[in-house]
């Protein structure tokens, strides 16, 4: 397509999958983008279904921002079905603010791309995905495809004559803290419905005053409870997260 492409981490030997490269290790890509004065960097995960990006200034651009950029362009071209973007409950609150400001509806599902796809197929929605960079574009595919997501992002930037740095300004990512605590599998439901845990979560919600949120959920695959906080002050939300973790650990630590 006429782009000048520099490739890194492209010599697989069967055992070096994701080694210091890809969407789980972005530092090297960020440095090369800056050193080589690239317009942007694109990182895939090991099996190629996820994609994250680096803007020309070396900043990491996650799946929420990538979806926001593509969805807003689709809305402007009147191809965003029901002005709706499908995301999971783990998407950053900054995406909610972006959506509200731009007349886009967020349809939220449980965590997992399978739930995103189910919602999309139910209503024929055109775009959905996860903060991790797993984006589904049902006009072309019914699964995440990192290369497809990259091409869609590049198409938007090229058509609007924008850099990724400029385009990503449409959404402000709120600071986020995510911590997990190991509990016995049979105790996960009890921990989530514990009165002391619920009271602490309610206290935190009130203190955040709509400028942040707390989400406590059980892992579907591991004996873990995950606590996620978003807000404007990283120090404050880190302490709040630790307070909830401490309550759970006193009663349910595996």
């Amino acid at each position: 397509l006429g782009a000048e492409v520099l490739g890194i981490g492209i010599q697989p030997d069967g055992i070096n999958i994701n080694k210091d490269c890809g969407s789980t290790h972005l530092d090297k890509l960020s440095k090369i983008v800056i050193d080589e004065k690239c317009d942007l960097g694109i990182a895939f995960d090991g099996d190629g279904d996820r994609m994250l990006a680096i803007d020309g200034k070396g900043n990491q651009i996650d799946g929420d921002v990538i979806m926001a950029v593509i969805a807003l362009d689709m809305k402007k071209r009147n191809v965003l079905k029901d002005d709706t973007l499908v995301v999971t409950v783990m998407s950053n609150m900054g995406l909610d603010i972006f959506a509200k400001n731009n007349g886009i509806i967020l349809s939220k599902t449980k965590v997992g791309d399978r739930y995103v796809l189910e919602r999309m197929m139910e209503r024929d929605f055109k775009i959905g995905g996860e903060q991790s960079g797993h984006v589904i574009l049902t006009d072309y595919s019914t699964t995440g495809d990192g290369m497809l997501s990259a091409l869609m992002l590049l198409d938007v930037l090229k058509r609007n004559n924008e850099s990724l740095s400029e385009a990503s300004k449409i959404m402000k990512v709120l600071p986020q803290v995510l911590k997990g605590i190991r509990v016995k599998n049979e105790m996960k439901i009890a921990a989530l419905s514990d009165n002391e845990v619920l009271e602490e979560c309610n206290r935190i919600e009130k203190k955040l005053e709509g400028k942040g949120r707390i989400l406590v959920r059980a892992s579907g695959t591991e004996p873990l409870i995950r606590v996620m906080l978003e807000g404007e002050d990283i120090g404050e939300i880190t302490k709040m997260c630790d307070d909830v973790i401490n309550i759970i650990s006193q009663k349910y630590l595996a």
Side-chain angles (χ1 to χ4, degrees):
L1 296 174
E4 181 183 346
V5 180
L6 302 177
I8 63 170
I10 55 172
Q11 294 178 313
D13 61 14
I15 59 173
N16 64 353
I17 185 170
N18 291 334
K19 182 172 174 57
D20 301 325
C21 68
S23 59
T24 51
H25 302 279
L26 292 166
D27 291 347
K28 188 181 292 184
L29 178 60
S30 179
K31 184 176 186 305
I32 286 178
V33 167
I34 294 171
D35 290 349
E36 300 293 333
K37 297 181 173 57
C38 299
D39 292 300
L40 77 165
I42 292 169
F44 305 108
D45 68 334
D47 61 356
D49 62 355
R50 295 195 292 112
M51 183 274 287
L52 297 178
I54 300 290
D55 70 15
K57 298 177 181 178
N59 300 310
Q60 296 182 15
I61 307 297
D62 69 15
D64 284 341
V65 180
I66 290 167
M67 288 189 292
V69 170
I70 296 174
L72 184 59
D73 178 75
M74 291 174 71
K75 184 177 189 296
K76 289 177 178 177
R77 294 186 291 114
N78 296 314
V79 295
L80 184 63
K81 175 74 184 304
D82 295 339
D83 290 339
T84 298
L85 168 61
V86 182
V87 299
T88 77
V89 293
M90 290 299 287
S91 275
N92 192 275
M93 193 173 180
L95 190 60
D96 291 81
I97 297 168
F98 151 81
K100 185 177 180 180
N101 290 340
N102 289 278
I104 290 175
I105 299 165
L106 294 187
S107 180
K108 295 191 177 183
T109 75
K110 292 190 289 185
V111 176
D113 59 286
R114 59 171 289 191
Y115 301 112
V116 172
L117 179 60
E118 283 176 3
R119 182 70 53 80
M120 294 175 73
M121 299 302 283
E122 284 171 7
R123 300 281 301 276
D124 194 30
F125 293 136
K126 300 301 183 183
I127 178 171
E130 299 182 286
Q131 188 182 57
S132 61
H134 201 134
V135 180
I136 301 174
L137 298 150
T138 51
D139 277 338
Y140 307 96
S141 176
T142 54
T143 187
D145 182 331
M147 286 185 282
L148 172 60
S149 302
L151 288 169
M152 286 292 289
L153 178 63
L154 292 169
D155 180 52
V156 173
L157 299 177
K158 183 74 173 175
R159 188 167 355 93
N160 295 325
N161 194 30
E162 274 189 314
S163 68
L164 180 56
S165 179
E166 293 168 337
S168 63
K169 289 177 182 176
I170 60 173
M171 176 183 155
K172 179 184 177 183
V173 179
L174 290 183
Q176 185 181 83
V177 175
L178 176 63
K179 296 187 179 185
I181 180 168
R182 190 165 290 273
V183 300
K184 292 179 181 178
N185 244 332
E186 63 271 20
M187 298 303 291
K188 289 197 289 191
I189 293 175
L192 291 178
S193 56
D194 184 276
N195 283 335
E196 192 177 355
V197 173
L198 294 174
E199 286 172 7
E200 180 65 15
C201 290
N202 287 333
R203 186 189 70 78
I204 288 170
E205 287 278 9
K206 288 178 181 176
K207 191 170 182 180
L208 290 171
E209 297 180 324
K211 297 177 182 177
R213 63 175 181 139
I214 179 170
L215 178 66
V216 182
R217 56 179 288 271
S219 168
T221 56
E222 299 175 89
L224 288 174
I225 297 290
R226 291 196 170 97
V227 181
M228 188 272 285
L229 261 293
E230 288 173 346
E232 297 175 324
D233 186 320
I234 188 68
E236 180 182 45
I237 62 173
T238 299
K239 184 183 182 305
M240 290 174 170
C241 186
D242 289 340
D243 289 344
V244 177
I245 290 284
N246 288 337
I247 292 172
I248 296 172
S249 68
Q250 288 169 15
K251 298 182 178 182
Y252 304 101
L253 188 65

